[in-house]
Amino acid sequence: MLNGHWDSHHSLLDFNSLAGDTGQIIRPWLTVLVDRYSRCIVGFSLHPAPPSGEAVLDAMRMGIMRKDEILAQRGGTTNPWECHGVPAAITTDAGRASRSEELLAASEVLQFSLHFKPLRQPWLKGQIESWFNSLERSADRSGRALSFSETSWIVTKWIVDIYQQRPDPALGRTPAQMWNSGLQERPILRIVPDDLLKGDFRPTTRVIDRTQRHRPLGSGSLEF
């Protein structure tokens, strides 16, 4: 079902970008979250450093939020990016770096289950790697290093106007069409408030009981 399960993946992009804080020329790391039902890319993050729980957390925040403001700020896209809402589960890498305290806390606060890919199974990433290769072919090849904002715009443009509008042979339609079809069966009922989504999920005055991952939704709880 729509937003039933998101998979994360990381790739070192094959073009140069300027790190925002130092101006150093680097190859940026891209982290994406992909909805299994629709094959839509729901969110992404760009980082100068290797993959981490922080990168997954940033992509998760983008995946959950509405994208209208993001598209308005970056401009230059033709199609909407409808993807938003809280998934039932997220699968990410099994490495220790992905098991950040805040990512685990976010899974408790937002009530999704967090899973980790088994190690040494490269076939799990084959299709996502082909998506990254397609992205790199569409990037600016002028030879100059791109700013992080330019790189982010390229990724956004590619997701919204190219990848998600391209028919997927396995689906028989585009990922965007599949997402909209899924909304008919499972509408998204509520939106996570920005102050919660953009804040720190780690508890400061309470202890999380990790045995209650699937606790019932009570009064004032979020429903998706």
Side-chain angles (χ1 to χ4, degrees), residues 8-11 29-33 43-46 51-52 55-56 59 132:
S8 78
H9 191 68
H10 316 278
S11 183
W29 284 92
L30 176 65
T31 294
V32 297
L33 285 169
F44 73 88
S45 66
L46 284 165
S52 65
V56 176
F132 283 128

Side-chain angles (χ1 to χ4, degrees), residues 144-219:
R144 69 178 178 87
L146 304 171
S147 69
F148 245 54
S149 61
E150 288 175 316
T151 304
S152 184
W153 182 86
I154 288 172
V155 174
T156 303
K157 175 73 174 177
W158 176 78
I159 290 171
V160 175
D161 287 340
I162 301 176
Y163 165 71
Q164 296 192 165
Q165 308 305 321
R166 182 182 296 157
D168 186 306
L171 298 176
R173 61 183 75 182
T174 69
Q177 290 170 337
M178 195 69 181
W179 179 274
N180 289 329
S181 175
L183 282 178
Q184 304 302 314
E185 300 177 11
R186 188 174 188 263
I188 298 168
L189 302 179
R190 294 187 185 177
I191 305 302
V192 178
D194 283 350
D195 58 347
L196 174 62
L197 189 58
K198 295 179 180 180
D200 192 326
F201 292 104
R202 289 170 293 190
T204 55
T205 59
R206 65 184 176 88
V207 176
I208 292 177
D209 181 359
R210 300 195 183 280
T211 67
Q212 302 299 315
R213 179 179 296 277
H214 298 292
R215 60 190 180 280
L217 291 171
S219 176

Side-chain angles (χ1 to χ4, degrees), residues 76-140:
T77 55
T78 303
N79 295 282
W81 192 358
E82 303 286 3
C83 306
H84 69 282
V86 175
I90 292 178
T91 293
T92 186
D93 303 285
R96 183 178 299 178
S98 295
R99 299 173 184 263
S100 75
E101 179 185 353
E102 189 173 2
L103 184 59
L104 292 169
S107 72
E108 298 290 344
V109 172
L110 298 177
Q111 298 183 356
F112 64 83
S113 58
L114 191 59
H115 306 276
F116 297 93
K117 294 178 185 176
L119 295 174
R120 297 183 181 179
Q121 293 195 20
W123 58 85
L124 291 174
K125 67 178 184 176
Q127 186 150 21
I128 297 179
E129 288 288 2
S130 71
W131 298 339
F132 283 128
N133 292 339
S134 175
L135 167 62
E136 289 166 357
R137 287 194 297 271
S138 70
D140 185 342

Side-chain angles (χ1 to χ4, degrees), residues 14-36:
D14 191 25
F15 51 86
N16 293 328
S17 184
L18 297 172
D21 52 348
T22 65
Q24 180 182 3
I25 296 177
I26 61 165
R27 288 174 59 194
W29 284 92
L30 176 65
T31 294
V32 297
L33 285 169
V34 181
D35 175 61
R36 285 189 185 179

